[in-house]
Amino acid sequence: MDLKPRDVLTEQDVKKGLKLVIGDGLASETMTTLTGGAFIIAMAILLGANNLQLGLIAALPTMVNMFQLISIWLVRRFNNRRAITVICSFLARFPLVIIGLLPLLLPQVVSIELIIPILFFYYLSGAVAGASWNSWMKDLVPEKQLGAYFAKRSSYMQTLNVVLSLLLALGVDYVRDYHPAFELNVYGYMFIVAGVVGMAGTVVLARTPEPQKFLPKENIFKMLMRPLKDANFRRLLVFNSAWVFAVNIASPFFTVFMMKSMGLGLSYIIGLTIISQISSIFTIRIWGRFADRYSNKTIIAIGAPLYILCLVGWCFVGIYSQLWPNLLLLAVIHMVMGVANAGINLSLTNIGLKLAPTADAIVYLSSKNIVTAIFSALAPLAGGVLADYFTGRHLKIDAEWGGPRWTKTLHIVELHEWNFLFLFGALLGLIAVEMLSRVKETGEVEKDYVVRIMRSTMRNNLKNNFLVGNLMEGYSTLKNVIKRRFH
């Protein structure tokens, strides 16, 4: 297969390429769903991982972004981003098959200490491929379509994640309840399938056209210093670094908290994740349209406070003696987190693409990824250490009302172990949001004005598309199910 870039891409080439990128995105999402999130945490806990090791597993995907210097060197050396992306993607996805074979063929030697180094190579190769891919997409996707296109791609990927995650969670919980001896084998098969699907995705990616781009031959460190000398881009780096540190000191331990502290099964956890994903799916295209029309900075300024409120909400999870109030609170938190994350993640990616000059896109984006990777990697490691420190410590706040005949105690909040991390994340998030105001983006609009328009748009969309169409369809489906069940 010819992986050489082309001097000129026709409109037809671009349309074909955009479709293929969505295809690879679906393959990548399948791979990520099978090997990430709650499943890799559950597998690690099954293998006896401690808090620091859990933090390290969460840190690996971003820690390796520091090695994106390799990608810049390769692109400058060969001027072929497609070949670099395809080859490194294959090298990243093949190790997943090895991890999957370990519990099946060598169950006596498989351990978390053995799996972590293989995961490191998987994420490292993926980071090199990702830097080259970002630069490639910068030139392939028309700038005016960035928000809408990646919102569409993300919505497809998240829909796949919802369906696949639920099926896998139900399957794993069934095996855990009725055949616990085979649980590790199930994770092994999941990794094998992920590796095979991921490698198939590289074939799709190899067919995607690349416009020719030449990186100037200059000292690589001088190139990386160029974005740091750009005052506005430097302010973006400061905000992004502070934000990812705030988020990653807490978010990797959500699943650990629900598994260890609350004793929830994977079906509950994935069900909550699906609530978050559905909220994201319903709103991400709206975020994308408004990001294109107004600015990415405005979207972040709206979404970040919502996410911080969710971090505060996590501090109150688990204070109820009954399960259902805790599940209700978790459902609300996940729903709002899905809405907030959809806008934040989309806009953080797009604002980096937008502020990076076309000629130096890979340099700017790699600098952004390398700098933020340091903070993304340190945060979960710090979180693991703090979780160990706060083990056995707690802060409890109660309110008591006493009267002549009875006394009522209201349990307000109790912080322990992971809850402390959630509070730290919220406080650090507030500091990060203050840094966002210094970033300048072309076309940015006052946040309150956009909020009013978005509120009206979402209300109309829900009314027209959800309340009318989807509820009627759901009613019809439910009626048919009842007929089949009782007649």
Side-chain angles (χ1 to χ4, degrees):
M1 184 177 293
D2 183 15
L3 296 177
K4 293 181 180 179
R6 304 179 190 175
D7 292 331
V8 179
L9 293 184
T10 65
E11 185 177 346
Q12 191 65 27
D13 290 332
V14 173
K15 289 182 178 179
K16 174 186 174 183
L18 296 182
K19 291 180 181 179
L20 291 172
V21 170
I22 289 178
D24 173 64
L26 294 175
S28 298
E29 189 65 26
T30 301
M31 178 183 70
T32 303
T33 302
L34 287 163
T35 62
F39 298 114
I40 186 63
I41 295 298
M43 181 180 179
I45 291 175
L46 183 64
L47 291 172
N50 57 39
N51 284 332
L52 183 58
Q53 289 170 326
L54 292 171
L56 179 58
I57 291 172
L60 281 176
T62 49
M63 179 189 297
V64 295
N65 283 334
M66 293 181 282
F67 296 94
Q68 289 191 357
L69 286 171
I70 299 171
S71 185
I72 297 176
W73 181 85
L74 290 171
V75 171
R76 191 180 63 167
R77 174 70 176 79
F78 298 104
N79 288 308
N80 191 329
R81 294 168 293 183
R82 176 162 61 162
I84 294 166
T85 303
V86 169
I87 293 170
C88 291
S89 294
F90 182 86
L91 292 175
R93 296 166 183 185
F94 181 74
L96 296 178
V97 178
I98 298 176
I99 293 177
L101 290 173
L102 284 175
L104 301 177
L105 302 181
L106 300 169
Q108 68 278 7
V109 300
V110 64
S111 66
I112 193 65
E113 290 80 8
L114 179 60
I115 287 177
I116 286 177
I118 303 176
L119 284 174
F120 175 80
F121 182 77
Y122 157 59
Y123 289 122
L124 172 63
S125 300
V128 176
S132 179
W133 183 88
N134 281 333
S135 174
W136 178 9
M137 294 303 108
K138 166 78 174 177
D139 292 334
L140 179 65
V141 183
E143 184 172 335
K144 292 183 179 180
Q145 299 177 26
L146 273 175
Y149 173 74
F150 282 109
K152 175 183 177 182
R153 182 175 181 267
S154 296
S155 67
Y156 289 158
M157 293 166 65
Q158 289 170 351
T159 302
L160 175 64
N161 183 296
V162 166
V163 177
L164 193 56
S165 296
L166 182 58
L167 293 175
L168 289 170
L170 292 172
V172 171
D173 273 350
Y174 175 83
V175 173
R176 178 182 289 173
D177 292 339
Y178 298 100
H179 307 283
F182 295 99
E183 183 181 353
L184 192 59
N185 289 355
V186 171
Y187 295 126
Y189 288 121
M190 287 166 61
F191 269 84
I192 292 173
V193 173
V196 172
V197 173
M199 287 186 286
T202 62
V203 176
V204 175
L205 199 59
R207 297 172 53 206
T208 306
E210 177 204 355
Q212 182 69 66
K213 180 72 172 291
F214 294 98
L215 205 61
K217 305 286 185 181
E218 61 178 292
N219 183 280
I220 193 169
F221 293 103
K222 288 184 178 179
M223 293 172 63
L224 287 174
M225 288 302 294
R226 195 177 302 140
L228 300 180
K229 294 177 180 178
D230 183 329
N232 192 41
F233 199 81
R234 188 170 62 245
R235 289 190 287 267
L236 174 63
L237 290 180
V238 172
F239 160 72
N240 204 345
S241 299
W243 179 255
V244 297
F245 188 87
V247 170
N248 285 295
I249 203 170
S251 61
F253 298 94
F254 292 159
T255 298
V256 182
F257 171 74
M258 289 186 286
M259 283 185 175
K260 284 190 170 184
S261 185
M262 299 186 66
L264 296 182
L266 275 173
S267 298
Y268 282 106
I269 295 171
I270 295 300
L272 292 166
T273 303
I274 287 173
I275 291 174
S276 181
Q277 293 280 15
I278 290 175
S279 300
S280 181
I281 291 169
F282 273 124
T283 56
I284 192 167
R285 294 199 183 188
I286 298 174
W287 287 125
R289 288 198 300 271
F290 277 83
D292 288 338
R293 187 180 306 171
Y294 301 105
S295 74
N296 296 288
K297 176 185 168 182
T298 305
I299 301 305
I300 297 171
I302 297 170
L306 288 176
Y307 191 88
I308 292 170
L309 284 175
C310 292
L311 289 177
V312 174
W314 274 98
C315 297
F316 296 89
V317 175
I319 65 173
Y320 306 104
S321 57
Q322 292 182 301
L323 178 61
W324 70 265
N326 290 306
L327 289 177
L328 181 60
L329 178 57
L330 281 171
V332 173
I333 290 173
H334 278 79
M335 181 178 66
V336 179
M337 281 176 61
V339 173
N341 271 328
I344 295 169
N345 294 336
L346 177 69
S347 297
L348 278 176
T349 299
N350 288 346
I351 196 172
L353 289 169
K354 189 174 180 180
L355 297 186
T358 301
D360 293 323
I362 189 172
V363 178
Y364 270 67
L365 296 175
S366 294
S367 295
K368 174 176 174 286
N369 290 337
I370 291 169
V371 171
T372 56
I374 296 172
F375 295 91
S376 295
L378 289 175
L381 294 177
V385 173
L386 287 173
D388 284 338
Y389 172 77
F390 284 113
T391 299
R393 296 174 169 87
H394 73 278
L395 174 64
K396 187 175 181 181
I397 301 175
D398 292 337
E400 184 176 291
W401 171 263
R405 297 183 180 180
W406 57 273
T407 299
K408 178 65 175 178
T409 301
L410 179 63
H411 191 34
I412 298 176
V413 66
E414 181 175 4
L415 301 181
H416 59 84
E417 202 166 355
W418 298 287
N419 298 73
F420 280 108
L421 302 183
F422 307 152
L423 182 59
F424 283 145
L427 295 175
L428 293 172
L430 288 172
I431 296 173
V433 170
E434 287 299 313
M435 301 175 182
L436 178 63
S437 60
R438 303 172 188 172
V439 180
K440 303 300 179 185
E441 181 186 2
T442 303
E444 62 183 84
V445 179
E446 179 62 34
K447 180 184 72 173
D448 293 339
Y449 173 72
V450 179
V451 168
R452 289 196 300 270
I453 297 177
M454 288 193 69
R455 189 185 298 126
S456 175
T457 301
M458 289 183 179
R459 185 166 56 244
N460 291 335
N461 283 351
L462 286 172
K463 179 180 178 181
N464 296 333
N465 299 327
F466 183 75
L467 294 178
V468 177
N470 292 347
L471 286 180
M472 289 299 294
E473 182 181 348
Y475 171 75
S476 177
T477 303
L478 180 62
K479 185 169 65 174
N480 292 334
V481 169
I482 293 173
K483 284 182 177 179
R484 288 195 298 269
R485 175 68 178 83
F486 294 103
H487 296 286

